[in-house]
Amino acid sequence: MSGSDDNSSGGGRDDTLPGDVRHSGLDDGANHDLFDDRGNHFEIDDRGNHFEIDDRGNDRFVGNDANEDFHGGMGDDDLFGNGGDDSLSGSRGRDTLDGGIGDDSMLGGRGADDLIGREGDDFLHGNRGDDILNGFGGGAGEVDTLQGGLGADIFVLADANGTFYGADDSFAIVLDFSGAEGDTIQLSGGAANYRLEFDFSNSSSGDTLLRRSDNNDLIAIFTDTTSIDLSLDAIFV
């Protein structure tokens, strides 16, 4: 295979091509297709695996309903957990980590990464770089935890269709928002759609609660900060 970025699928047997991919847990007799060169697509079909690739290509991992543990390499990697409670982590490069359904944990690398939680109670940590964190999946009672890490990160709490969370006791917890570091909050419409409330019951430095102004639904808790100003720290779509 060449050194280009490949999007491949194997046949009806277990395929392993020589290279720097490490795997474990392939013990259930299902089909597992591993294509390893310098830019790959991995299709996983089993009951739980650990995959880690050490290369400079742009790699693609696609899981199933198992609890996958995927670690990208040094390129711009796309890691999709799909079902199950997955653990996804990037490295260098601009990575996309997409948990799918389940309670997933995602850790970005040193690049500007996109972290997408979807359904379930997810933990998203951007790590270094200017990352975009969107944990929302629309489930009742969903509680996602977002941590940007170093860099100017965007915490996505709405899109052009409306505000996320709020309904059915769902909300996000943002651990390390810092306007001074360049972090921003993505919201819908304008600042009049929201209100801020400060709570000192759990922290001496105080937490900021973001609520909808029309029905008082809780959207997000920003821990250990009361220095949020929507006119400065939010972008509206």
Side-chain angles (χ1 to χ4, degrees), residues 56-88:
R56 298 178 182 273
N58 301 332
D59 308 304
R60 180 179 174 91
F61 292 76
V62 180
N64 66 349
D65 290 338
N67 300 331
E68 278 91 24
D69 186 1
F70 291 164
H71 298 259
M74 296 179 67
D76 300 338
D77 303 317
D78 297 327
L79 313 182
F80 297 90
N82 283 335
D85 300 336
D86 307 307
S87 177
L88 312 177

Side-chain angles (χ1 to χ4, degrees), residues 5 8 10 13 15 22 31-32 37 40 69 77 80 111 156 184 213-214 220-221:
D5 299 341
S8 307
R13 64 185 188 280
D15 301 316
R22 295 186 288 277
N31 296 335
H32 318 288
D37 64 2
N40 308 293
D69 186 1
D77 303 317
F80 297 90
V156 180
T184 55
S213 59
D214 57 352
I221 300 173

